[in-house]
Amino acid sequence: MNSRDRLLAAIACKKTDRVPISTYELCGYNSLSFENIQPSYAKLMQYIRDNTDAVTMWNPTSNEIIAQTAAVPDITVKEEREGKVTTYTKTLKIGGKELHQVLKVEDDIVTVWQVKHWCDDLDDVDAFMSLPYEPVCYNFSDYARISGETGDKGIIMLTLADPMCVAAELMSFADYTVWAMTEQEHFKKTLDKIHERNMQNFKRMMDMQAVDLYRIVGPEYCTPPYLPPYLFEEYVVPYVRDICDLIHSYGKKARIHSHGKISGVLDSMLKTGADAIDPAEDLPDGDICLKDVKKKLQGKMCVFGNIQLKMLEHCSEKEVRDYVDYCMESAKDGYGYVIMPTASPINIPLSAKTQDNYFAFIDQALKSGKY
């Protein structure tokens, strides 16, 4: 089997020649991603291209600035530099209010830290969401490049944020959980408004070009201990089910992304109709072992997971190899499994230890993942 066929079969919980191996955000066949440009990652990325099955993470650009709309906001950005850190302070004027978001970027870490969220209270949320809706336009001009680079060496995966993700990230995590728990009617109305915009935008996006797999992010914000399982049924299931139905109407696949404690909401996740779940974190990071996740899903969802990045960064090669064998023993039987880390390194340069542990992970997965 080539990598594309192997991954698509695994997602459908069908027979494969071996367990597919994904390195998550380390995209071997995206020449523009940082890991394929940074010299310290070069040796590892070549090994990934030679020995794994690419799930190429890619999204089209769009004219959305904020709030799932193409409407142009009254927004300014102040940029400040101190040492290796760049701070971006955004100011939005809307509804007679000024809302502020603060982002920080460090030179040697490939991520963005949100240190101040847009909203501090419900009035801020209502002001933010009052920005009028205009359909978002998407630019797929880069799709030919990314699909050409990936070819039959893997599949292309696009990320969609569900209403839970969008709403939760309007506030600090502490404020968001209080809002979602104590102002449930207001929170649900906000989710409804986001979902209405999302569905129009997602359909426009897929009308232009549907990709192989869609990763739906946000459900993890509604897992215990943050919120009780009954709210997952209300805040996640109906919206993600609509998104999955839309994806399936184009003949494509959906994957739910949810870190943390998922044992109490696995049955609810099944109700969404999603085809796969990631990263299915084992104890102690999650609250259910990989074998039990696989058993509970009963071949209805493919499992992606679940080697912790901290293991690849800090453990010995033997510990990595032993854990790969544990994952295979837990989830290999019955197909429907893709072995994958729960995250990927974002530091520059890549450490030699992390590189060697990735080699150990991939090598052992090739050995123990055969059917």
Side-chain angles (χ1 to χ4, degrees):
M1 303 180 82
N2 62 39
S3 289
R4 178 177 177 80
D5 292 340
R6 186 178 296 117
L7 282 163
L8 291 176
I11 293 169
C13 296
K14 295 181 179 179
K15 183 178 180 180
T16 57
D17 57 340
R18 65 164 172 81
V19 171
I21 305 166
S22 169
T23 47
Y24 211 177
E25 290 105 337
L26 294 185
C27 300
Y29 291 99
N30 184 351
S31 60
L32 300 183
S33 61
F34 90 91
E35 61 269 18
N36 288 311
I37 297 171
Q38 287 295 327
S40 65
Y41 281 75
K43 187 176 180 181
L44 173 59
M45 295 312 298
Q46 188 58 53
Y47 200 76
I48 286 171
R49 282 187 287 273
D50 290 342
N51 295 285
T52 72
D53 307 287
V55 180
T56 303
M57 297 178 68
W58 176 88
N59 271 61
T61 58
S62 76
N63 62 346
E64 177 193 348
I65 299 175
I66 56 172
Q68 302 76 53
T69 176
V72 180
D74 182 356
I75 192 169
T76 58
V77 181
K78 179 182 178 182
E79 180 178 336
E80 298 174 288
R81 178 79 175 173
E82 184 176 348
K84 292 185 175 183
V85 178
T86 303
T87 301
Y88 301 92
T89 301
K90 299 182 180 182
T91 300
L92 170 67
K93 294 181 179 180
I94 189 166
K97 298 174 70 74
E98 281 195 359
L99 307 181
H100 303 280
Q101 181 193 53
V102 181
L103 308 174
K104 288 194 175 184
V105 178
E106 296 186 42
D107 289 350
D108 299 331
I109 302 177
V110 187
T111 194
V112 178
W113 309 106
Q114 185 171 193
V115 297
K116 166 68 178 69
H117 295 252
W118 281 115
C119 302
D120 296 320
D121 55 37
L122 300 192
D123 287 341
D124 288 351
V125 171
D126 291 340
F128 186 90
M129 294 303 303
S130 70
L131 194 67
Y133 175 72
E134 294 181 15
V136 172
C137 296
Y138 297 91
N139 182 350
F140 276 85
S141 60
D142 189 48
Y143 182 76
R145 176 193 67 83
I146 201 70
S147 60
E149 290 182 5
T150 302
D152 63 6
K153 298 175 286 292
I155 61 176
I156 296 173
M157 182 174 73
L158 191 151
T159 298
L160 303 177
D162 76 347
M164 192 75 198
C165 181
V166 177
E169 293 185 357
L170 289 177
M171 288 186 168
S172 71
F173 197 83
D175 289 340
Y176 139 69
T177 53
V178 173
W179 172 30
M181 193 70 210
T182 65
E183 298 286 347
Q184 294 180 23
E185 183 178 352
H186 184 277
F187 191 77
K188 187 70 163 57
K189 287 180 178 178
T190 303
L191 294 178
D192 288 343
K193 188 168 187 176
I194 294 167
H195 187 57
E196 183 180 0
R197 295 180 176 192
N198 270 352
M199 292 301 288
Q200 293 184 64
N201 291 337
F202 295 165
K203 186 177 187 307
R204 288 170 60 86
M205 179 194 297
M206 294 176 203
D207 280 345
M208 293 187 68
Q209 178 65 59
V211 303
D212 301 304
L213 179 64
Y214 291 83
R215 181 181 69 147
I216 301 170
V217 299
E220 66 188 14
Y221 284 113
C222 200
T223 56
Y226 314 126
L227 293 174
Y230 79 87
L231 285 180
F232 194 96
E233 286 277 341
E234 185 174 352
Y235 290 165
V236 175
V237 172
Y239 305 111
V240 173
R241 184 168 53 224
D242 283 353
I243 297 170
C244 290
D245 286 347
L246 178 65
I247 293 166
H248 292 154
S249 73
Y250 288 82
K252 306 303 181 180
K253 301 296 186 179
R255 186 175 107 189
I256 290 178
H257 173 75
S258 184
H259 286 274
K261 302 183 187 302
I262 61 171
S263 66
V265 297
L266 267 177
D267 288 336
S268 297
M269 288 183 179
L270 279 169
K271 294 178 183 178
T272 67
D275 304 282
I277 183 175
D278 82 273
E281 290 178 300
D282 214 310
L283 303 163
D285 300 278
D287 64 347
I288 183 171
C289 67
L290 184 57
K291 185 175 184 178
D292 287 342
V293 171
K294 189 76 185 301
K295 182 179 179 181
K296 196 172 185 69
L297 296 180
Q298 298 180 334
K300 297 175 182 177
M301 294 175 73
C302 174
V303 180
F304 283 71
N306 63 14
I307 299 171
Q308 291 290 339
L309 177 60
K310 61 187 176 185
M311 171 172 279
L312 295 170
E313 291 180 328
H314 301 296
C315 290
S316 68
E317 290 183 37
K318 183 181 185 306
E319 288 173 310
V320 171
R321 290 178 181 274
D322 288 347
Y323 194 77
V324 168
D325 286 343
Y326 163 77
C327 289
M328 292 299 186
E329 291 167 4
S330 299
K332 175 182 172 182
D333 288 351
Y335 309 105
Y337 176 56
V338 180
I339 194 166
M340 183 187 79
T342 61
S344 296
I346 55 175
N347 54 295
I348 300 172
L350 178 69
S351 76
K353 185 177 186 66
T354 302
Q355 173 184 272
D356 291 344
N357 278 339
Y358 263 90
F359 290 157
F361 148 53
I362 295 168
D363 183 54
Q364 193 63 29
L366 289 170
K367 290 178 180 178
S368 61
K370 295 177 181 178
Y371 286 107

